[in-house]
Amino acid sequence: MGYLDEFDVKKYVKDRLSEIKDKDEYALAKSVLYEGLYKMSEVFEERYKALHNKVYEELERKEESYEIAILLLSKNENKFLRMFFPISDLDVIEDKGSDIKRDSKEDKKSIKTIYLDATDSMCKAFLQENIRLSFTNNGEKHTILVQPKRALRYRKELGKLYETFSYNGLRWNTVNTVYLDRFFDIDLSEIPESAIDVEVVYGKYADMIKEELYPIWNIERNVFKSSTFLSPSKDGLYYEREMVKQSNKEIILRLVLKTEGMVGIRHEEEKIIVKSYEESYSDLEGYNIFDIRYTKEELPIGLISNKRKEGMLGRLLNKNGEEIHTEAEIERIIDELNIEDYVSLKSCERVPVRSEVLDESIILPDMNNFSSREFLIKDGCPGLVLRFLRTGDSNLCEAMVRYAVSQLQISFDEYICIGVLENSYSL
């Protein structure tokens, strides 16, 4: 008969007992089969589950199993999502001038932030356009041209988050920025305050423009009160402050921001230890990252996450820091990213990179680049070319390739990872 995945021990015992007609033999068989075999199977099942859970707990470092998810929220909906917060506080500041914002971090210029619901190719083309602004001032109609710029404040927030992860000594999993890279700022500073009938003319992009959206994520900026830390202890060289982690199933990870005088931050199972040169009782700033795995059913469609599929091999490799640079490993990483609804990996190959032969169809790993510099490609560098095929009609397919090659670049840092979407098209 053999062992089957769905083998039902209880049914098997019952069927075998039904075949026995003799009462004495039935009583003995029942004692052996039911009270022996069946009870033994229950014990082994419980032991297997306990062993299974123990192995996963050993392989998974809880503070590194975080997920960062991003949603787009409409300002007109007045909707509150539990455990989700604005990436930039500038998006939720009350505006006295309708949708024209005063951005103190950008030289107090008036800007209008829009979301371009289009492919990566169209977003690049949009940056080269001159957008027409028309308005009436003192009874006269005027028109000026401005060039859109990327809304960099979201990437700046990502840069701060990355630095905090690094200083806390935790592994960085690329945040998927496919939404964030579609926000653009339109400079309205040249329009006089007395102007009326202000209109932004987007031309062929008009149907792709969404004006009342802003991104939110499951990260809350937080102040850790000094009262939550134990009194500093001194070891002769440094002071150490300990913050006992409060039990909160909704918060999967707490991060402490680096401040002046800090030597380092160490995460242990039940506490966070902050080492500094001087004794301090001041409050500390940081982040709370919320675990949203138990509330996905309540979330609206459109959530983009960096969560990977769980796999024993991936957990083991991450724990030991092992890197197996094979095509099978590349396929495993891509499969874990949960992007099969957008693109699939067709092939990969190692080739020397020549900048003169690179065309506009290449997709570079830019989601971990938190500076304003472009990704540099030097002639002769070993390249890892990843060819993808579109599996859906979403305009995020190109961006999902960027996400994939950005993830791979972390593991295959001796190569320049390059993505190509072979059956691409523009919307």
Side-chain angles (χ1 to χ4, degrees), residues 90-267:
L90 295 173
D91 291 327
V92 292
I93 293 177
E94 289 293 332
D95 302 319
K96 294 182 179 179
S98 182
D99 57 359
I100 300 176
K101 299 179 177 62
R102 295 290 179 181
D103 188 350
S104 59
K105 294 186 179 180
E106 298 188 11
D107 302 326
K108 295 188 180 297
K109 291 182 178 180
S110 298
I111 61 170
K112 181 185 186 73
T113 302
I114 57 96
Y115 178 82
L116 186 62
D117 189 9
T119 64
D120 276 23
S121 302
M122 292 297 286
C123 289
K124 290 178 182 178
F126 184 66
L127 285 171
Q128 308 303 318
E129 295 287 338
N130 287 317
I131 303 302
R132 184 160 57 90
L133 307 179
S134 64
F135 58 92
T136 301
N137 189 38
N138 296 327
E140 296 183 4
K141 291 187 176 181
H142 300 270
T143 299
I144 58 177
L145 298 177
V146 298
Q147 197 166 27
K149 297 180 180 180
R150 291 195 182 276
L152 296 178
R153 59 184 178 275
Y154 305 119
R155 281 296 190 116
K156 289 179 181 178
E157 292 297 332
L158 277 181
K160 294 176 185 177
L161 182 66
Y162 168 75
E163 291 176 358
T164 306
F165 263 92
S166 178
Y167 202 71
N168 281 253
L170 300 177
R171 187 181 71 247
W172 173 255
N173 287 338
T174 304
V175 175
N176 196 329
T177 65
V178 298
Y179 285 151
L180 306 186
D181 298 333
R182 283 165 164 71
F183 282 93
F184 298 87
D185 288 337
I186 309 297
D187 185 359
L188 307 179
S189 61
E190 294 186 26
I191 300 177
E193 293 185 4
S194 58
I196 60 174
D197 299 329
V198 177
E199 182 183 5
V200 183
V201 181
Y202 297 106
K204 65 181 181 180
Y205 300 94
D207 293 338
M208 310 173 193
I209 300 295
K210 299 182 184 297
E211 296 187 344
E212 295 299 326
L213 290 180
Y214 67 100
I216 57 177
W217 58 4
N218 58 319
I219 301 178
E220 175 191 33
R221 280 179 289 275
N222 188 51
V223 175
F224 301 111
K225 297 294 184 180
S226 58
S227 58
T228 62
F229 287 84
L230 300 178
S231 296
S233 61
K234 188 176 183 180
D235 63 1
L237 294 175
Y238 305 108
Y239 289 92
E240 286 192 347
R241 302 171 66 189
E242 293 185 3
M243 180 178 73
V244 178
K245 296 179 181 178
Q246 300 175 350
S247 58
N248 188 331
K249 292 183 179 179
E250 292 185 346
I251 298 176
I252 196 169
L253 181 61
R254 288 182 170 91
L255 301 173
V256 176
L257 282 171
K258 179 182 179 181
T259 59
E260 186 176 354
M262 275 190 191
V263 179
I265 301 170
R266 185 170 74 254
H267 285 249

Side-chain angles (χ1 to χ4, degrees), residues 67-73 79-89 92 179 214-221 250 288-300 302-305:
E67 172 185 6
I68 296 178
I70 298 177
L71 282 169
L72 297 179
L73 191 63
K79 182 184 293 185
F80 172 75
L81 288 177
R82 190 168 62 92
M83 297 186 291
F84 275 85
F85 307 87
I87 295 179
S88 172
D89 289 336
V92 292
Y179 285 151
Y214 67 100
I216 57 177
W217 58 4
N218 58 319
I219 301 178
E220 175 191 33
R221 280 179 289 275
E250 292 185 346
N288 287 329
I289 299 182
F290 286 83
D291 186 357
I292 61 171
R293 287 180 290 180
Y294 306 105
T295 61
K296 285 279 182 71
E297 297 79 8
E298 306 169 5
L299 295 175
L303 178 131
I304 294 292
S305 170

